[in-house]
Amino acid sequence: MPSRRLRRKASLLLQYPRSLPQHVNAFLLCAGFGTRMRPVTNETPKSLVRVAGHPILDYLLDDLAAWTDLDAIHLTVNHRDADAFRMWADTHRSELADEEIALHVHDDGVQTPEEQLGVVGDLQFLLHEVGLPDDGALVSGGDSLYRFPLAPILNAYDGTTNQVLALHEPDPERRAHSSLLRLDGPHVAEIVDDPTGGGPSDRICPSWTLLRPAALRLVDEYLSDDGPPDRLGPFLNRVAREETLRAFRLPKQKDLRLHCNTVDELERARRIFRDEPRHVLDPETVQDCLVTGDP
């Protein structure tokens, strides 16, 4: 009898006939020390801090488990927190094995915040550790909660384009802590980090992007050219210049993404998850945005 994963993939092909990638990875960059979330992170890694009873990373893992073509999830973590992440991974390997997805934790050897490789440096570390995935990868941080299902986007990915989320953020103060997008139709013309949060648009680009192999090959070149290793935005701007980077725009609704990077942001996320719906968009709405390209 075909596995559950094969049955689900066959069902997806009937709904959306296309050529699907076969060897996609997820690279989760969780090697930060959470210095802005102290004292919460003195004992618990930021990505494993609990919101509504579950580690932040569990919510992303739920969506990844529904990605029909995902072969493996690779986490890069710092040496101080490696044991905590290994214990977390041990609690999830069985359920992921049922979906034929492997889960690996990679210790980057960094022991203090001053030695950090940065998110792009850790992406390079993972690529050197596991090699270039044949059909591309999801590259994501581990400190954000998304209030819409990610599975429709993941299962529509065909490995031929680079894609970022383009989320509406009406608050200039929150925009100031995110990469901002200047869009040309469905494509990204530029990604900028603006400390005022003023422009070029109210669309932010969180650390969640689907990259094809050609874009991942740019990591070594970018770092060799002294590109900032600690921010994903400048690297994605390089991708936008040298490749095509497509923006996936969702409706102009606030709080589609909750970034848990400070104690105040964490407490705000906990309040929202306690008092409001977990998802404010349903899968059909997300799917409609994929089809139309403009909500």
Side-chain angles (χ1 to χ4, degrees), residues 181-197:
L181 296 168
R182 182 166 67 83
L183 300 176
D184 180 10
H187 298 115
V188 176
E190 185 181 22
I191 298 176
V192 300
D193 291 327
D194 184 343
T196 71

Side-chain angles (χ1 to χ4, degrees), residues 26 28 47-48 55-67 70 72-75 88-97 99 101-104 138 140-142 144-146 150-151 154 208 278:
L28 307 185
S47 299
L48 299 185
I56 293 170
L57 205 52
D58 279 17
Y59 295 99
L60 179 57
L61 205 70
D62 286 345
D63 281 299
L64 293 178
W67 192 359
L70 181 63
I73 301 169
H74 297 277
L75 276 76
W88 170 85
D90 287 344
T91 67
H92 290 285
R93 283 204 174 90
S94 176
E95 66 196 72
L96 290 171
E99 301 295 339
I101 300 170
L103 176 60
H104 304 281
L138 168 72
S140 175
S144 288
L145 297 161
Y146 296 96
L150 295 165
L154 294 168
W208 194 98
R278 160 77 175 91

